[in-house]
Amino acid sequence: MSLTIHHLHVSSSERVVWLCEELNLSYKLKTYTRSPLLAPPELKALHPQGSSPTIQDGDLTLAETGACLEYIARKHGGGRLLLDPSHLAYADFIYWFHWASGTFMPNVGRVMMMGFAGLGAENSMVGFTNDRLQKALRMLDDRLKDNQWLAGEEFTAADIMVVFPLTTMRYFARYSLQGFEHVAGYLKRVAEREGYQRAMRKCDPEMELVLGVEPPSKPFV
Ligand SMILES: N[C@@H](CCC(=O)N[C@@H](CS)C(=O)NCC(=O)O)C(=O)O
């Protein structure tokens, strides 16, 4: 296999590395430092999207986290960590897998942008965005109340998709998980996974992991 993962430090590409570690796949890891906030030109040059993650596999260059996860799991992982339509939890699996990029990431991204723009609680858009975030976290908390993982009993790629905006992304979008005890318990289970630990050591060995209720004491920027 000639799989290369291009990882921008403290970014979404940790999810691709985590998937490969869970699947015990071999891959080459190329890491990049932000310059100063965005991806450096050599990473941007790989794909028109110019973002992290980008992967290469032979002649193929692919971007977009969900696409990278699905490509790797199907092409090299025998479909492990994805659920088939015949699985009882199939609909749950695809729902939470797509919820991560379709609803949760844009929501957390808006929190991040409003913070960068210095907008405060007096701005109605900040209130609107925070309400949406609380609603998303409530949904997640309700789901995790009686389920160990998002698809139920089985850990899947849907968990890998959802964890980054709940953890590392809080270096950029500083929100608390206060009041969401089931999400907090879920992050403890994530922390115990050897695949997660290996991935984080490889991606960002110096980064303090964001697995607690409060965001990191120091923002990334
Ligand atoms: N929807 C895309 C978002 C990719 C994205 O914006 N990645 C960020 C890191 S989390 C990035 O590359 N930022 C640096 C830049 O845009 O230059 C995905 O999930 O792959």
Side-chain angles (χ1 to χ4, degrees), residues 9 15 74 81 89 105 132 155 188 199 207:
H9 284 300
R15 296 187 277 193
R74 284 203 196 287
L81 299 183
M105 279 290 291
R132 284 282 173 99
F155 174 84
K188 288 200 176 106
M207 179 182 79

Side-chain angles (χ1 to χ4, degrees), residues 8-13 15 34 37-40 43-44 49-54 63-68 101 105 112 161 164 169 172:
L8 178 66
H9 284 300
V10 194
S11 89
S12 174
S13 39
R15 296 187 277 193
R34 289 171 184 266
L37 175 62
L38 298 183
L43 173 53
K44 287 202 173 290
Q49 188 162 320
S51 61
S52 163
T54 297
E64 198 56 46
T65 312
C68 294
S101 281
M105 279 290 291
M112 172 179 83
M161 285 296 287
F164 168 72
M169 202 169 168
F172 303 92

Side-chain angles (χ1 to χ4, degrees), residues 18-217:
W18 183 14
L19 177 93
C20 288
E21 290 297 330
E22 292 283 349
L23 292 173
N24 279 313
L25 298 178
S26 56
Y27 59 92
K28 196 169 146 204
L29 184 65
K30 279 197 75 176
T31 60
Y32 301 79
T33 302
R34 289 171 184 266
S35 66
L37 175 62
L38 298 183
E42 61 273 25
L43 173 53
K44 287 202 173 290
L46 294 171
H47 188 282
Q49 188 162 320
S51 61
S52 163
T54 297
I55 63 168
Q56 288 179 307
D57 189 20
D59 292 339
L60 172 81
T61 302
L62 188 66
E64 198 56 46
T65 312
C68 294
L69 257 57
E70 199 169 333
Y71 173 88
I72 293 171
R74 284 203 196 287
K75 191 99 180 170
H76 299 299
R80 282 176 295 144
L81 299 183
L82 305 176
L83 299 187
D84 281 337
S86 59
H87 197 290
L88 278 178
Y90 174 65
D92 289 321
F93 165 72
I94 52 170
Y95 175 75
W96 290 106
F97 186 94
H98 291 285
W99 182 83
S101 281
T103 292
F104 195 42
M105 279 290 291
N107 196 160
V108 175
R110 284 192 293 273
V111 172
M112 172 179 83
M113 290 301 186
M114 291 192 183
F116 284 170
L119 300 179
E122 72 290 348
N123 186 294
S124 60
M125 287 300 121
V126 171
F128 172 79
T129 298
N130 286 337
D131 286 351
R132 284 282 173 99
L133 178 66
Q134 294 304 303
K135 185 179 162 198
L137 292 172
R138 177 59 51 216
M139 279 179 61
L140 202 52
D141 205 63
D142 288 346
R143 174 67 189 163
L144 293 165
K145 183 166 172 249
D146 299 316
N147 294 286
Q148 201 176 359
W149 303 109
L150 289 169
E153 293 304 302
E154 240 175 277
F155 174 84
T156 67
D159 298 293
I160 297 180
M161 285 296 287
V162 167
V163 166
F164 168 72
L166 278 177
T167 54
T168 305
M169 202 169 168
R170 285 195 287 151
Y171 271 107
F172 303 92
R174 299 172 49 72
Y175 68 89
S176 168
L177 295 173
Q178 199 70 52
F180 303 105
E181 57 175 312
H182 305 297
V183 177
Y186 172 68
L187 292 185
K188 288 200 176 106
R189 293 194 284 284
V190 166
E192 284 164 9
R193 295 193 71 88
E194 286 178 13
Y196 181 78
Q197 294 166 6
R198 279 199 305 274
M200 296 306 122
R201 276 198 300 273
K202 288 184 184 176
C203 285
D204 291 283
E206 276 148 35
M207 179 182 79
E208 192 185 327
L209 299 183
V210 188
L211 292 158
V213 168
E214 297 308 329
S217 50

